[in-house]
Amino acid sequence: MLVIPQHTKVLIVGAGPSGLMMAAQLLRYGVQPIIIDSKPGPTNHSKALAVQARSLEIYRQMGIVDKVLHNGKPARGVIFNQDGKKKASLSLTNIGEGQTLFPYLLMYEQSKTERLLLDYLTLNCCPVYWSTTLTSLTQKVDGVEVQLQNADGNHTLNCDWTIGADGARSLVRKELQLSFHGDTYSHLFYLLDAKLDTTALTENYLNMYLGTNNFSAFFPMPEEDSFRVIGTLPVEFEKSEDVDVSQINPYINSLTKSTINIVQTNWFTTYKLHHRMADKFRVQRCFLIGDAAHIHSPVGGQGMNTGLQDAYNLAWKLAAVVNQQIKPAILDTYADERMPVAKDLLKTTDRVFNLIMSKNFFIRLFKKWALFKLLNRLWQSDKIRLAFFRKISQIDICYPNSNLSLHLSKDIKIKAGDRLPYLKVFDEKKHEETDIHEWCNKPGFTLIILGKFDELYLFTIAKWITQKYPGVLNFFYLPPSGKNVSVFDGLEANPHSQKAFIIRPDMYIGYINDMVDIAMMDNYLQNVVGITPI
C-alpha cells in the first residue's frame, strides 16, 4: 500500500477518464498531483465507447494519439432500421475532412482510455491511490483539509486545491452541499457488450433498430464481430432484479427481424439514465469536472469527451496558478466557460433522446412516415453534414464571451474564443509540411504572427518573449508565400498586411489583432490573462 503524504498542491478525487486526464494535464505543466479512487483499480468494462475528434486532438498534443488510433476503429456510418427494414443510411467516413486531422468518429472503449492515461501517469511517476475513499472535506482560507480512509486506516491530507472527478454520486459534490438538478428517465435500459454471430448487422456501422415502443442500437467495437448493444428493456422485466441476457436475446431478434446469436458475453447490465447538472462547478478551492458536474443521456457519445475537455480546460489554468505564473482570478473562467457547454449538451441530448423514446401519437407517425426520408434528404447537403460533424465532434465548442477572449480584428469569420482551425502549413524555416495545431504542442501560450516583418522586428519580439515570458509564450512566424495561401485565407489574414494570434494552451484563440503590437500583446497577457511577467 502506498503511503499517503500529509500535503499536496492538488488532490484529484476519482481516477476515471476525467480525473486521469486532469492528472496527466497537470503533469505536462510540472505539477505533481495526488489522485485517489475508492475502486480497487481501473474498470474492466468498456463503458463509454466513442472518442470524438476534439479528444483525439488533445491526445495528439500529449503525444499519445497513435496508441489510440492503433487500438480503435472509425465508425463508417449509421444505418436506421424500422420494423427490420433499412430506412436510412448516413455515411460518416471522413465526414469532417479538412476540419481536423481526425475527421471521423472513433470507437475506443473507456477501459482502454483509462489504461492509456494510467500509462501516461506511470511514465511521469504519478501513482493512483486505489481503494482510498474520501470521508469528509473541510474548506479553509488557504486550502482544503480532507479525511481519507483505506486499508491502512484513516488519514488527514491538506491540499491547496481539490478536484471532484468522482462521478455522478460524487462525494466531493455532496461535501460541498451542491445541488444536482435534473431528473431520471423513466425507461429501464440494458447494455450488452458481446461477440455476435450474425449477417444482419452492417460491419463498422452503428446499426439502429426502431420498433413501435422500443429500440436497440448496435455500436461496432474495435474487436472483430464485437458490438455494444443498448436498448429498452421489455416492460415485463422492468421490475425484475435479476435479468439474464438469454432472456433479452429473443426480444432483440424480434425487433431486428433477424437471428442474432450471442457467441460471448463480455458485459451485461441494466440501468436507468439521468440528466443532471450541478448548480456550481467551483466552490472556493474545490472544482467539479466530468460526471461529478453533469450527466446526460449517451446520445451522440458526448459524455466522456466532455469530461476530458473539462479537465483540459481547468488543468492549464490551475497549473499556472500553482506555479505562480498567472493570478488566481483566471480560475473563475473555468465555470464561466464550461457551464454553458454542459447546459447546451444537456438540452440537446435531452431533446434527441425524448424524440427517440416518445410515445406521442403524432411523433410516432412522424418517425414512421417522415423521419427517415427527411434524414436521407438532409444528409445529401454538404453544409448539414459538416454542421453535424462539428457539433458531435465538439470542435465547434467556443468561448467568445469568455473574459480571456479579446477580439481586435475587423474580421469575424475567425473570432477570439474559437478553437484554432486545423490548417496545413509549409514551415518556411524547416522546409517541411506540418500543421498549425502541431505548433501548439508545447505547453504554454503560442504567439503566431502572419505577414511581412523585417529581421530586426522579429528579433525584438523574440527578445521581448525571452525577457518577460520564457516558458510561458511560444513563438511562430509565418511569412506570405505561395505554399501558404490557404493558411492566410483560413485565418482571414492579408498577405500584404500583418496579423497576430495568441493561442491558449488548450488550443483556443485568446487574442486576435490586425496589427502586431508588443504593447497591446503585453496588455492582453498581463491585464486580461493575468500573467505575471518575469
Side-chain angles (χ1 to χ4, degrees), residues 457-471:
Y457 193 66
L458 293 174
F459 176 77
T460 301
I461 292 177
K463 184 178 178 182
W464 164 68
I465 293 173
T466 302
Q467 290 180 341
K468 299 184 76 171
Y469 305 105

Side-chain angles (χ1 to χ4, degrees), residues 77-107:
V78 183
I79 294 176
F80 290 90
N81 302 272
Q82 189 172 56
D83 298 325
K85 296 180 180 179
K86 183 189 293 187
K87 294 293 184 178
S89 181
L90 313 180
S91 174
L92 297 178
T93 301
N94 291 335
I95 185 176
E97 193 71 48
Q99 298 291 309
T100 173
L101 187 60
F102 314 103
Y104 43 76
L105 173 65
L106 191 75
M107 299 291 108

Side-chain angles (χ1 to χ4, degrees), residues 183-189 232-233 238 271-275 353-354 357 359:
D183 205 352
T184 300
Y185 293 109
S186 59
H187 313 84
L188 189 63
F189 296 84
T232 46
L233 205 64
E238 288 194 356
Y271 61 101
K272 283 203 169 186
L273 291 172
H274 311 269
H275 50 116
F353 181 81
N354 283 328
M357 299 304 301
K359 295 183 179 180

Side-chain angles (χ1 to χ4, degrees), residues 119-192:
D119 287 346
Y120 188 94
L121 266 59
T122 300
L123 289 173
N124 288 275
C125 302
C126 180
V128 175
Y129 293 82
W130 298 107
S131 301
T132 301
T133 304
L134 172 78
T135 57
S136 71
L137 177 154
T138 305
Q139 296 252 37
K140 297 186 177 182
V141 176
D142 57 351
V144 185
E145 182 182 281
V146 299
Q147 300 297 322
L148 306 177
Q149 187 177 64
N150 61 17
D152 289 340
N154 299 318
H155 307 268
T156 299
L157 176 63
N158 290 293
C159 328
D160 295 344
W161 305 91
T162 297
I163 312 297
D166 47 342
R169 298 179 180 178
S170 171
L171 290 172
V172 173
R173 189 185 64 242
K174 291 174 182 177
E175 285 291 305
L176 296 174
Q177 298 182 341
L178 292 176
S179 299
F180 204 35
H181 297 295
D183 205 352
T184 300
Y185 293 109
S186 59
H187 313 84
L188 189 63
F189 296 84
Y190 66 85
L191 183 153
L192 167 67

